[in-house]
Amino acid sequence: MFQEQLPALFEKWGKPELAQIAKNGSFPNRKVESWKYTPVQNIQISESEKSTLNLPFEGILLEPNTQAEGIQIGFEAVDFPRKDIFDDFANESFQRVLTVTISRKFKSELPLIWIHQPTSVSTDCIKIIVEDGATANFVELYQGNQQLALTYSNILVESKAIFNHYQFQFDGFKAGMPQVLSKIYAQQHAQSTYQHTIITFDGSWIRNELNVTHLGEYLFTGMNGLYVADGNRLVDNHTNLEHAKPNGESSEFYKGIAMDRGQAVFNGRIHVFQDAQKTNAFQNNQNLLLSNEAQINAKPQLEIFADDVKCSHGATVGKLRQDEIFYLQSRGLSKETATQLLTNAFGAEVIEKIENETLRSYCLEAWNNKMGV
Amino acid sequence: MLQIKNLHAQIEGKPILKGINLEINAGTVHAIMGPNGSGKSTLSSVIAGREEYEVTEGEIWFNGVNILELEPEERAREGLFLAFQYPIEIPGVSNANFIKMAVNEVRKHKGLESLSATDFLKLMREKAALVGLKDDFLKRSVNAGFSGGEKKRNEIFQLAMLDPKLSILDETDSGLDIDALRTVAEGVNALKNSENAFLVITHYQRLLDYIVPDVVHVLYDGRIVETGDKDLALKLEDQGYDWVIEKHKQEA
Ligand SMILES: Nc1ncnc2c1ncn2[C@@H]1O[C@H](COP(=O)(O)OP(=O)(O)OP(=O)(O)O)[C@@H](O)[C@H]1O
Ligand SMILES: [Mg+2]
């Protein structure tokens, strides 16, 4: 089993301290509420060679030696919150982590790319500072079949900065998609924008945690997601938004599809602090359940302590509409094709929201391929 | 082309069609009129193969095939087309993409190759012009945000693209303005030939002024109770349904 495999894998990686933690520590189990539907023992690791990098679109690859106008690379110490053993792995892996500071001088339209290519188990940690008034697109790509990528990011979006953060969890390289545990800790200052978009339709065991905290007022947080659990895939998205200051605005839009024997989890927590008056928080989670053996666990979790706020939320789990299928059939499309077309359309709504044209087309093409449309 | 024999159908246990007999030959236009709720849309849905309706008795033959055993898409590929009374909106599915798939399915069934991108575009432009639908509607999602009249035009556009043998128009005229009515009717007339047939469901003579029917039927309480020529429609326009209802109340 995965847990027993780990110490040896860490030894081999030259991280005896991690091997020690793996040996002595305990892993999250189903008794822990937030891990209830996400069994850790389903992770499977086999070692592989690193495949060659092949960028699906032009971008600036983030590495220790990246050079670009307005980008400063360094190494800094970071403490990620410790809630489970994976956090210990992340914190103990490196003394300092790759730190990217983006200044207002950064004017490139090209996205910054952070690529995850685990050869067995790897911890990828990054710290990003988006300075006052700066704007950047940041894309995480995943590659490496059957391996486990633990990816941790610490993001600070300063005043009036705009940061678009994308995670594309599908096989854009045709080289396989790793198993992923991703944790993002983003903090935002006044009048900033943090827009997160995650698209998952590949891999076998995926868990994403997104934490956003407001440090200032009049800012916007956007969280969009598409998660597709087909085959035997497990996809778990846990989002947590801390509306800690007044006058904050947020919009969360997650769509999920489960078919075959897929398992999907969505947990969207929005916490509005008592003095976070005039908060405007919107959450919508729609799910399509396309097979009897598939499972969706959707849970909005609104904790609102301020009284003068506008918060709306909705969560649905449903099937495709019969009248839509019939309409398409009445024009000569088979039930299967109609189902594919409608499922594709359901998911495409999230992808259509991607503002950057290159990234939107990249995702749409992959999604259409996936759905045979 | 189409023979319906003693067709009975029900929904949720409630009988709606109570013994329909209807025969339509190639090269003809039939009109069906009848009061609200008499079963006109139910009849068209049953012909098109909507699952919710349960056929309890009777047969539907289409060009020698008993279509009650066919899936809706198989009926469509055989050349049946239903222009819906209430076309639904399908957000996210592009009109052009959808109709292209549909056209190619029908062609495949006929043993023809898929149309090339350019041929398809040409055909699409030609048929869109026929029903007065602007090109940008083709790029939009199927019926999403279309006005009532635009949806009806889109139905006839799809009809023109698929070139079916039997077209059922379920109140295509309702929701169309006077000019649109003429455009759509002229479109239908342009598609009419000796090989195909039309079944036009309507409440108004107006449409039948343009698309002149060979046979007019009155459907009342799940049965065809009157059949005549185009003068029957004029009589209904003039006198309403009271006399029909009076005459057939006993049977109901
Ligand atoms: N899904 C359904 N569930 C229950 N009853 C239904 C359903 N569909 C149709 N009916 C009933 O069947 C009857 C016939 O309806 P239908 O739509 O066929 O009438 P119609 O002749 O097309 O009327 P209109 O002229 O108003 O379009 C009506 O009484 C209607 O309420
Ligand atoms: Mg009707």
Side-chain angles (χ1 to χ4, degrees), chain B residues 176-203:
Chain B
L176 288 178
D177 66 41
I178 298 159
D179 293 333
L181 180 71
R182 194 182 321 114
T183 312
V184 165
E186 280 166 2
V188 168
N189 284 332
L191 298 167
K192 224 165 70 181
N193 60 42
S194 61
E195 308 281 292
N196 63 19
F198 287 84
L199 178 59
V200 181
I201 296 170
T202 183
H203 287 294

Side-chain angles (χ1 to χ4, degrees), chain A residues 22-33:
Chain A
K23 229 178 274 174
N24 302 333
S26 65
F27 287 80
N29 60 40
R30 285 178 173 234
K31 286 183 197 129
V32 181
E33 180 63 27

